[in-house]
Amino acid sequence: MTTQNKSSVIRNVNFYYAKLDKPVSPFGTEIYDLQVRFPKERIQEMSAYGKVRQVEDGNYAINITRKAMNAKKQKTPVRVVDGNKNPIKDLIGNGSFGNIIVYQYDWAVSGRTGRKTVLIAVQVTDLIKYVPETEADFDIIEIPSNDNAPSADF
């Protein structure tokens, strides 16, 4: 399989479910995660970077991740910038648009082989800020008075 390790820029994709501000650990290892969406015409191109699947809006998507720590236990955050390469501190909302840089390498473990794609950087050219919902809570319920209730006086 020996293809060379390389970095690539993937341009003009939409971002969904960006978990780049702090790591998540859905399977035990802390990672940064970004869903990248694109139209049907890009399936062949994007299949080189991950498992393509159709999503609810009719587009197609792959998820690209990065481990939150390297082998030396150093934090490895994803670089997130705007169109002028200035750092972005805002959270990235669904539907934001831009480019990503990924790094790919071949791996072999216990007789199995594959190609891994790692998220290196995100350039947001059209930011839709993510605004977390305020805490969920119950509404106040007005209990209707029951004027026809029998009197408790005996």
Side-chain angles (χ1 to χ4, degrees):
M1 168 154 69
T2 57
T3 49
Q4 73 181 49
N5 298 350
K6 66 175 189 169
S7 293
S8 305
V9 178
I10 303 172
R11 299 184 189 285
N12 303 321
V13 290
N14 284 101
F15 306 133
Y16 281 78
Y17 309 111
K19 295 171 184 73
L20 303 175
D21 59 317
K22 59 184 177 218
V24 294
S25 55
F27 303 108
T29 301
E30 286 199 334
I31 60 169
Y32 297 101
D33 185 23
L34 179 65
Q35 185 182 99
V36 177
R37 291 191 186 183
F38 46 88
K40 185 177 184 175
E41 301 78 47
R42 295 186 70 183
I43 290 175
Q44 185 174 354
E45 167 200 357
M46 300 303 279
S47 65
Y49 302 106
K51 186 175 190 258
V52 175
R53 66 194 183 285
Q54 191 166 20
V55 289
E56 70 277 359
D57 66 2
N59 281 304
Y60 292 81
I62 58 175
N63 276 62
I64 300 182
T65 62
R66 176 187 183 114
K67 285 187 178 178
M69 288 192 189
N70 64 17
K72 297 176 185 174
K73 302 290 184 208
Q74 298 165 321
K75 292 182 180 180
T76 58
V78 175
R79 184 168 63 108
V80 181
V81 299
D82 64 16
N84 293 317
K85 297 186 183 181
N86 296 314
I88 292 179
K89 296 295 180 202
D90 292 313
L91 299 179
I92 300 171
N94 290 345
S96 293
F97 187 80
N99 311 306
I100 62 174
I101 297 175
V102 298
Y103 177 75
Q104 292 184 292
Y105 63 92
D106 296 326
W107 58 267
V109 176
S110 305
R112 297 178 56 210
T113 61
R115 188 146 177 87
K116 176 70 177 160
T117 302
V118 179
L119 184 61
I120 301 297
V122 176
Q123 181 182 44
V124 183
T125 57
D126 183 12
L127 177 66
I128 297 172
K129 290 182 185 178
Y130 173 72
V131 180
E133 292 181 24
T134 56
E135 262 186 58
D137 202 353
F138 295 109
D139 293 332
I140 295 174
I141 305 296
E142 296 287 332
I143 299 173
S145 64
N146 189 347
D147 292 338
N148 299 336
S151 170
D153 295 345
F154 289 99

